[in-house]
């Protein structure tokens, strides 16, 4: 019955995928014989658009390349331009960039853990991790004023300072997150369904990881000990101590262990940064026109190495901006991992490299349908609006909330 | 910053000894950053030597550039994830033919397709596959990253689009 191979197109829009990408899967029964990947559905022409804009405008555009690694791209771009312009950013700015970078890694890895749980039908893990992720989202909003696009960077430093009170809140939040992460490490090492479902899935040997150019946790779970933070330090990474977490399971299970291990390292880095945060200015003045030159910047984003190449021509607009985000480097590895595996493993194997997808904005302008006047809702108002909206339709969890509500994690 | 560049200088002298054409065209910008420029005729020998003999075993990305009369292509290679060597070469815009590097780095596939789509390179030896990143119905001969290419001005919103905005 299954003698003849069958071709199945999956995507670009498909319930198993969280963002547009196309897979052409050749199946023999349930086994994948070949996987072809079609990308480009999210191509927005940002590199070209940067050539038409000033460096400052380009930062805002580049920050929006990705909804999760927004700080990664903006920092990478800024440090590349700073190298061309010969700017030395103040120490405090380098520390603050590192702080946001690690908070971003925490929110990204917690998000991944939830998605991984979801893809294997372990939705309790999704609910838990995403609830806990709110702690770090709130911390990022506290420091930067926004949950996703923090707009912390400018050429020559950062745009916002941190207050002693905020530092205390971040430390408190990190304590809570660390406690939760320890629990997830227990889950990852003890929970038999998770171990069985992820072990041996999405195999990528050490040699294949190098040959196919895999990056980030995907490579580190195949014992490739590459981490730009250590190998090519930027911002304040030279001044903090941390471990490059690797694993030799070579599969999705290994990638899970690497990411929860990295969460613990991030908490340690955040504490070191806040303990040794130097005083002083947070930015130096940057010229509007960047002198002619070129530079290559690298950054360890949550998903792996991010590389920016910038060429300046002496005007206020860049001559060429090239961005290599980590997912593109991992795509070849995914096609390889899928080969000779079961079709049912596809969602988790694809999710295991943690391809980027966007977050929604927090601030919503809501028009009052009766008065037709635009207004801005605060977060508590929006939450109340949502509760009322559901109650009017018969969905009411007031009773449950009273019984189970704990304020421990908030 | 700890700026020891001994390893970088060793790379520079080894390359210059092997490829005299690189004399003066190889620059250490700072620690862990080397830029080199090589005539296209010698590019493949140099690339092969870098990858096989000097163990630059990671290709991070390939950047294509528009140089006016020619098209430029820069291969960002790295060794042990530390030193990044950006090897640059140019080919005439009239005949922008380069050889694929996928036998060395299978992941270069996507980077080379990008050169084809966005700058109009012809990459010899590139295995068949989907185009990337432009759409299947993208008009032929339109290369967005060329300097003379300008996006057409956005069409004014249709009535349907205007209504859609109002409904939000």
């Amino acid at each position: 019955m299954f003698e003849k191979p069958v071709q199945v197109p999956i995507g670009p829009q498909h319930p198993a995928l969280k963002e547009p990408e196309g897979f052409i899967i050749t199946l023999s029964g349930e086994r994948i014989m070949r996987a072809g990947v079609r990308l480009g559905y999210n191509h927005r022409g940002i590199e070209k658009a940067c050539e038409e804009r000033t460096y400052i405008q380009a930062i805002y555009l580049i920050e929006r390349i990705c909804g999760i690694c927004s700080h990664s791209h903006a920092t990478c771009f800024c440090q590349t331009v700073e190298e061309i312009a010969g700017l030395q950013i103040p120490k405090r700015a380098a520390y603050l960039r590192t702080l946001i970078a690690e908070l971003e890694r925490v929110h990204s890895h917690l998000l991944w853990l939830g998605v991984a749980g979801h893809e294997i039908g372990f939705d309790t893990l999704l609910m838990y991790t995403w609830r806990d992720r709110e702690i770090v989202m709130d911390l990022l909003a506290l420091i930067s004023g926004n949950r996703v696009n923090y707009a912390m960077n400018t050429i020559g430093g950062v745009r916002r300072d941190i207050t002693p009170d905020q530092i205390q809140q971040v430390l408190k939040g990190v304590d809570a997150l660390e406690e939760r992460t320890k629990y997830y490490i227990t889950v990852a090492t003890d929970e038999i369904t998770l171990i069985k479902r992820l072990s041996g899935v999405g195999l990528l040997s050490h040699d294949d990881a190098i040959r196919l150019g895999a990056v980030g946790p995907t490579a580190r779970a195949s014992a490739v000990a590459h981490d730009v933070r250590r190998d090519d330090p930027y911002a304040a990474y030279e001044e903090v101590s941390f471990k490059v977490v690797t694993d030799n399971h070579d599969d999705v299970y290994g990638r899970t262990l690497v990411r929860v291990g990295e969460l613990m390292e991030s908490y340690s880095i955040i504490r070191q940064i806040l303990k040794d945060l130097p005083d002083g200015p947070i930015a130096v003045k940057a010229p509007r026109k960047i002198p002619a030159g070129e530079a290559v910047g690298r950054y360890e984003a949550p998903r792996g190495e991010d590389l920016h190449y910038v060429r300046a021509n002496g005007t206020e607009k860049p001559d060429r901006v090239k961005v290599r985000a980590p997912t593109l480097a991992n795509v070849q590895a995914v096609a390889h991992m899928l080969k000779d595996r079961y079709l049912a493993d596809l969602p988790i194997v694809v999710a295991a490299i943690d391809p980027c997808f966007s977050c929604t904005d927090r601030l919503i302008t809501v028009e009052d349908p009766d008065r037709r006047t635009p207004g801005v809702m605060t977060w508590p108002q929006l939450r109340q609006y949502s509760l009322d909206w559901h109650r009017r339709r018969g969905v009411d969890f007031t009773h449950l909330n009273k019984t189970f509500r704990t304020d421990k994690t908030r | 910053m700890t700026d020891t560049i001994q390893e970088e200088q060793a790379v520079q002298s080894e390359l210059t000894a092997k490829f005299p054409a690189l004399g003066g065209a190889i620059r250490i910008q700072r620690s862990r950053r080397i830029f080199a420029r090589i005539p296209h005729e010698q590019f493949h020998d140099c690339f092969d030597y870098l990858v096989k003999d000097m163990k630059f075993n990671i290709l991070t990305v390939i950047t294509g550039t528009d140089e006016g009369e020619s098209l430029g292509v820069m291969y960002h290679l790295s060794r042990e994830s530390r030193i990044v060597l950006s090897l640059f070469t140019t080919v005439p815009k009239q005949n922008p033919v380069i050889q694929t590097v996928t036998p060395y780095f299978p992941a270069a596939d996507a980077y080379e397709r990008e050169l084809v789509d966005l700058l109009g390179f012809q990459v010899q030896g590139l295995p068949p596959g989907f185009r990337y990143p432009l759409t299947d119905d993208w008009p032929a001969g339109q290369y967005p990253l060329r300097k003379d290419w300008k996006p057409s001005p956005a069409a004014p919103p249709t009535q349907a689009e205007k209504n859609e905005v109002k409904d939000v």
Side-chain angles (χ1 to χ4, degrees), chain A residues 171-193:
Chain A
L171 288 171
K172 236 170 86 186
V174 167
D175 285 344
L177 285 164
E178 187 176 47
E179 199 191 310
R180 296 300 300 161
T181 305
K182 280 182 184 156
Y183 172 68
Y184 296 130
I185 292 176
T186 317
V187 170
T189 47
D190 286 359
E191 175 59 45
I192 196 76
T193 48

Side-chain angles (χ1 to χ4, degrees), chain A residues 242-263:
Chain A
F242 64 96
K243 202 171 84 212
V244 173
V245 183
T246 56
D247 187 87
N248 51 17
H249 277 85
D250 299 354
D251 54 12
V252 181
Y253 183 57
R255 280 157 227 156
T256 312
L257 294 180
V258 166
R259 287 193 178 97
V260 289
E262 286 187 0
L263 281 171

